[in-house]
Amino acid sequence: GENVEQHPSTLSVQEGDSAVIKCTYSDSASNYFPWYKQELGKRPQLIIDIRSNVGEKKDQRIAVTLNKTAKHFSLHITETQPEDSAVYFCAASRDGNNRLAFGKGNQVVVIP
Amino acid sequence: DTGVSQDPRHKITKRGQNVTFRCDPISEHNRLYWYRQTLGQGPEFLTYFQNEAQLEKSRLLSDRFSAERPKGSFSTLEIQRTEQGDSAMYLCASSFRAAGSTDTQYFGPGTRLTVL
């Protein structure tokens, strides 16, 4: 099955700086890659997703890039704010297999 | 609130007891998923339904676990003869499956199970 790995496990950034989290996946047939943000004790919330027919997608301060050849995708958060502090999970799935395979998560800490 | 809801939010039980959780998906969503999340890990897929049909089950879902979605709306997840290893957050997600696309899954707040 699909195996998704995330790096680094913990990331500390100064407020206003950028944060980048990278995920790798193993199944070359995967074609859908969402990112979820989970605050302590709360539900995972979808923040952005990308499908394999595009290489980059942006939504305000958040962007995701996809490199299908290398089988990795990254989350970019610019101008970080304290409320960006959370655990971020990447996931992957493919048509015909609707399960999301999640990474272990990255703890992002934004230092005011 | 039009999001996915789950009940109860917390459940404490003794080993060997049976527990049942409920998930109410977003109303127009035809797919419903169950995941399990343990501390420091990402959610792990358990099973999913399209309407009332259970289409896939993970190997993680032992014989003690059963899920239903009788009318294609809400779903229940039952764990029989609970074990301490069942302690986890049980998350439900729902999505709308449109032809030719990969559906986006929206999660509920989860039910935290503690088995003593």
Side-chain angles (χ1 to χ4, degrees):
Chain A
E2 175 64 275
N3 182 42
V4 177
E5 295 188 355
Q6 288 185 242
H7 305 278
S9 59
T10 303
L11 178 64
S12 296
V13 295
Q14 289 292 135
E15 182 178 357
D17 287 351
S18 295
V20 182
I21 305 168
K22 179 179 174 179
C23 279
T24 59
Y25 61 97
S26 62
D27 186 353
S28 57
S30 289
N31 59 1
Y32 174 64
F33 307 94
W35 283 91
Y36 287 85
K37 174 184 180 183
Q38 189 174 32
E39 297 176 73
L40 190 62
K42 296 191 176 181
R43 73 186 74 194
Q45 287 193 305
L46 179 74
I47 55 172
I48 196 166
D49 57 11
I50 191 168
R51 301 179 193 273
S52 60
N53 57 346
V54 297
E56 182 176 359
K57 183 176 178 181
K58 286 184 179 180
D59 183 2
Q60 300 181 338
R61 297 186 296 110
I62 294 172
V64 56
T65 57
L66 172 64
N67 183 326
K68 288 187 291 183
T69 303
K71 289 191 286 187
H72 68 72
F73 56 111
S74 299
L75 178 71
H76 306 253
I77 307 173
T78 59
E79 300 173 22
T80 52
Q81 301 168 3
E83 53 264 38
D84 294 329
S85 295
V87 178
Y88 291 82
F89 293 97
C90 62
S93 71
R94 58 180 172 87
D95 289 344
N97 181 343
N98 300 280
R99 59 172 69 189
L100 285 174
F102 283 86
K104 291 187 175 182
N106 294 96
Q107 175 77 57
V108 173
V109 178
V110 179
I111 303 165
Chain B
D1 185 356
T2 57
V4 179
S5 62
Q6 293 186 244
D7 184 69
R9 295 292 306 278
H10 304 274
K11 179 70 177 179
I12 299 173
T13 191
K14 292 183 179 178
R15 188 176 54 188
Q17 297 295 304
N18 299 345
V19 293
T20 301
F21 311 140
R22 176 181 169 123
C23 171
D24 286 88
I26 294 170
S27 59
E28 65 269 23
H29 284 186
N30 54 5
R31 284 195 166 175
L32 187 148
Y33 306 79
W34 286 98
Y35 291 84
R36 180 171 68 189
Q37 186 177 25
T38 53
L39 197 62
Q41 302 294 317
E44 295 176 294
F45 172 83
L46 294 177
T47 188
Y48 93 94
F49 294 82
Q50 178 155 320
N51 300 314
E52 66 276 8
Q54 187 173 19
L55 297 186
E56 189 177 354
K57 292 195 294 185
S58 164
R59 286 173 292 179
L60 292 175
L61 214 65
S62 76
D63 291 344
R64 297 184 297 105
F65 287 69
S66 63
E68 294 183 340
R69 194 183 183 198
K71 297 182 180 179
S73 56
F74 73 92
S75 175
T76 57
L77 177 68
E78 181 183 17
I79 309 174
Q80 296 182 327
R81 305 181 303 281
T82 52
E83 302 172 356
Q84 288 183 325
D86 297 331
S87 296
M89 176 75 84
Y90 289 84
L91 292 163
C92 175
S94 71
S95 69
F96 178 75
R97 174 65 173 174
S101 69
T102 307
D103 41 345
T104 298
Q105 298 180 29
Y106 298 90
F107 282 84
T111 294
R112 181 166 295 284
L113 173 65
T114 303
V115 182
L116 302 175

